[in-house]
Amino acid sequence: MTGVRVAGVGLTHFGKHPERTGRDLFAEASERALADAGVDRTDVAQLNYGNFMGELSEHQGHQGPLMAEAAGLTAPATRYESACASSGVAVREAVKDVRNGEVDVLLVGGTERMNNLGTAGTTEALAIAADDLYEVRAGMTFPAAYALMAQAYFEQYGGSKEDLAEIAVKNHDNALDNEYAQFQSAISVEDALDAPRIADPLGLYDACPITDGASAVVLVSDEYADEHDLDAPVSITGTGQGGDKMALQDRQFLARTPAAERAAEEAYDDAGIGPQDVSVAEVHDCFTIAEVLALEALDFYAPGEGIGAAARGETTRDGDRPVNLSGGLKAKGHPVGATGTSQVVEMTRLLRGDHPNSDAVPGDVGVTHNAGGTVASTTVHVLEVDR
Amino acid sequence: MSENESEPVRDEGFDDFLDAIEAGEGFYLECPEGHGSLPPRRVCPHCGATDLEETPLPETGEIETYTEVHVPAPSFADDAPYVTAVVDFGAVRLTGQLRGGETAEIEVGTEVSVGIGENETAGERVVVFRVA
């Protein structure tokens, strides 16, 4: 079985681009990734593409071939939809296809256009990642769903709004020098606590913004990288995916995310590492509480112990295991279909040394954690760099 | 428009379930292993058993988690702020809106009954809890 290298990565700026179409955003990200990889476009044998709400935001289904065209490819293309984990799943399927020898060179990416829907339209569009009969018809929004998990967490393990605010402050700090980030501005704990409430205990600064953007990576087999003398020191060495019941009410746990636990365990086993070997992580912090749940699912902390990690300085950029050095979804932004691949982009840059926060990376092993819905689906990837 | 298109579509199973709650005859589906689930189901989501039996829903449940929603979806625009809660009825949990009480008095563990109310914005049926 061949290894899988990240040959090139590309992003658009994440932020408000309501006037730009999805195809234009993906064209930019994919062009950057292909240029960064230095591979011949005609060698790209497949596009794996993630997108969630294209039918609602752009009246555009069947985005696979459209985006292949935007990227200048004639290769077959498939869209993967798994809510906010759409492009995480696209990456996982790409890794499997390279490993099993199906293809040597793949483009993987994702796009989401959201700001043209406005806040109300985006709230409604995101809600369809929840159970329509039992959750959406009861008035549940995504902030409300994560608020229900936060309340359950506080009830079971303790924790406070201040603990959550520390996570927002950390991720905003990390985004200051990230040119692709939506928010390059610092906030204080007081700012977060004083912000308008969205769904208690979550306020405006506990939530990621509404974001437009695209991401792309070029994955190649070890053999292709060697034959073409590519400078591609980062490999994806582990992949995992987990699932859970769709509706919160049907889950065994409301303050834990077993889908992510299973994905992490599978990815660690696949890479032949354990959580103690991981030196840096990009996790799915769509809401501040989500980062806590991710840290525990990745087994960096026991259930109930991840809540104070940012406040204690353990996950900050000068901590032992920095988390979301990109700024995370919270500050970098969350164009949902683009997020999973963008985490791989950020981690690759962090590990190979060309990210503004690379100097904060304390080791050679990174993990990306991408969650769909209220973590009814999750992918986890392990990335390692040869130095 | 044809006659069929002018009729609002029923979601069989789910709407039957709401009808039953409205009539004070709420139920859940129970498999031979004792796992609970909610309609529509053909298979127990926990063990795959296919012989599911309608079993009476307990009259009251306990709030397991809740939130006051200030930023609603458009179809709940006139309803906000409202309290959404997940209520534990033993074999199953239900998500709905808590009505008729002071939110400051609510806490995890509060006992509530279940009924059907109306969404103010869209006039659609919604699962409603009231402090028992």
Side-chain angles (χ1 to χ4, degrees):
Chain A
M1 190 173 72
T2 181
V4 182
R5 308 264 198 102
V6 183
V9 299
L11 293 173
T12 65
H13 176 258
F14 277 17
K16 289 188 178 182
H17 305 289
E19 74 290 358
R20 291 185 62 187
T21 58
R23 69 185 88 187
D24 181 51
L25 290 165
F26 189 69
E28 181 185 339
S30 58
E31 187 175 357
R32 286 191 177 149
L34 287 161
D36 185 41
V39 306
D40 191 337
R41 210 179 220 91
T42 56
D43 282 356
V44 178
Q46 188 172 308
L47 169 64
N48 286 16
Y49 176 79
N51 172 263
F52 172 52
M53 55 170 75
E55 287 85 353
L56 296 173
S57 65
E58 296 201 279
H59 195 243
Q60 186 65 67
H62 203 192
Q63 292 198 12
L66 181 73
M67 294 305 175
E69 200 179 314
L73 306 178
T74 52
T78 304
R79 167 179 161 187
Y80 290 85
E81 190 275 297
S82 198
C84 310
S86 293
S87 60
V89 175
V91 170
R92 173 171 162 78
E93 294 304 314
V95 168
K96 290 199 242 175
D97 282 349
V98 173
R99 283 178 171 178
N100 70 22
E102 285 286 329
V103 288
D104 278 317
V105 185
L106 273 143
L107 184 66
V108 189
T111 307
E112 210 70 65
R113 186 181 183 195
M114 301 170 70
N115 276 289
N116 59 323
L117 287 172
T119 301
T122 303
T123 302
E124 185 164 71
L126 288 171
I128 65 171
D131 183 323
D132 178 60
L133 296 182
Y134 283 99
E135 295 184 317
V136 179
R137 294 191 197 187
M140 204 171 82
T141 61
F142 257 82
Y146 274 91
L148 292 169
M149 291 195 279
Q151 183 70 38
Y153 187 100
F154 286 176
E155 184 70 23
Q156 188 164 358
Y157 301 119
S160 67
K161 292 179 187 178
E162 287 80 1
D163 291 324
L164 297 180
E166 295 275 5
I167 295 166
V169 169
K170 167 180 77 72
N171 292 347
H172 272 256
D173 280 348
N174 287 342
L176 287 175
D177 294 327
N178 187 349
E179 64 178 298
Y180 298 105
Q182 185 157 0
F183 297 136
Q184 290 181 262
S185 55
I187 62 166
S188 67
V189 169
E190 291 70 33
D191 291 336
L193 294 175
D194 292 344
R197 298 289 97 192
I198 294 183
D200 292 320
L202 304 180
L204 185 62
Y205 285 10
D206 288 297
C208 65
I210 296 169
T211 312
D212 307 306
S215 58
V217 301
V218 178
L219 299 183
V220 302
S221 63
D222 276 343
E223 291 73 15
Y224 183 92
D226 292 344
E227 280 168 24
H228 293 78
D229 203 21
L230 298 183
D231 178 21
V234 174
S235 296
I236 299 181
T237 58
T239 178
Q241 183 173 354
D244 203 344
K245 301 281 189 290
M246 181 80 161
L248 279 180
Q249 66 182 26
D250 297 328
R251 305 260 175 92
Q252 186 179 0
F253 301 105
L254 296 181
R256 283 175 62 181
T257 53
E261 292 170 17
R262 288 189 277 271
E265 192 178 350
E266 185 181 6
Y268 290 151
D269 286 350
D270 190 27
I273 65 156
Q276 71 284 353
D277 300 314
V278 178
S279 42
V280 58
E282 288 286 314
V283 307
H284 196 99
D285 61 326
C286 49
F287 297 91
T288 48
I289 186 66
E291 178 164 313
V292 178
L293 298 172
L295 297 182
E296 296 176 4
L298 290 166
D299 203 16
F300 299 158
Y301 295 90
E305 293 179 6
I307 181 73
R312 294 190 298 265
E314 294 160 6
T315 51
T316 51
R317 58 167 296 149
D318 53 355
D320 289 344
R321 186 192 279 123
V323 172
N324 286 332
L325 283 170
S326 68
L329 286 53
K330 171 70 196 89
K332 186 189 161 203
H334 181 29
V336 291
T339 291
T341 312
S342 83
Q343 293 175 320
V344 173
V345 172
E346 296 283 357
M347 185 57 71
T348 298
R349 296 174 65 223
L350 284 163
L351 290 173
R352 72 186 188 186
D354 60 327
H355 192 283
N357 285 333
S358 283
D359 61 353
V361 176
D364 298 336
V365 181
V367 157
T368 63
H369 158 282
N370 183 207
T374 47
V375 202
S377 48
T378 314
T379 59
V380 171
H381 289 102
V382 178
L383 280 74
E384 301 185 52
V385 63
D386 297 326
R387 291 192 201 273
Chain B
M1 211 160 34
S2 76
E3 198 173 317
N4 281 344
E5 282 168 337
S6 66
E7 290 290 319
V9 173
R10 271 178 64 80
D11 284 307
E12 193 183 359
F14 179 71
D15 278 314
D16 294 343
F17 174 73
L18 296 187
D19 290 347
I21 292 179
E22 208 160 15
E25 295 168 357
F27 66 91
Y28 66 92
L29 303 175
E30 189 178 32
C31 79
E33 298 291 321
H35 301 132
S37 62
L38 294 165
R41 298 274 177 201
R42 289 167 186 265
V43 177
C44 172
H46 303 285
C47 67
T50 53
D51 42 349
L52 305 179
E53 194 169 333
E54 289 188 9
T55 304
L57 190 72
E59 287 187 7
T60 62
E62 286 187 359
I63 292 179
E64 188 163 356
T65 184
Y66 65 96
T67 179
E68 186 169 49
V69 179
H70 298 274
V71 180
S75 54
F76 285 84
D78 299 337
D79 295 64
Y82 55 86
V83 175
T84 294
V86 176
V87 172
D88 185 358
F89 286 90
V92 292
R93 299 194 199 97
L94 265 180
T95 308
Q97 292 193 358
L98 191 70
R99 294 210 180 149
E102 290 297 320
T103 56
E105 292 170 11
I106 302 159
E107 56 186 32
V108 170
T110 298
E111 198 170 331
V112 298
S113 63
V114 61
I116 300 298
E118 195 165 275
N119 162 337
E120 282 179 35
T121 314
E124 288 169 355
R125 293 196 293 179
V126 62
V127 172
V128 165
F129 304 120
R130 293 179 198 279
V131 175

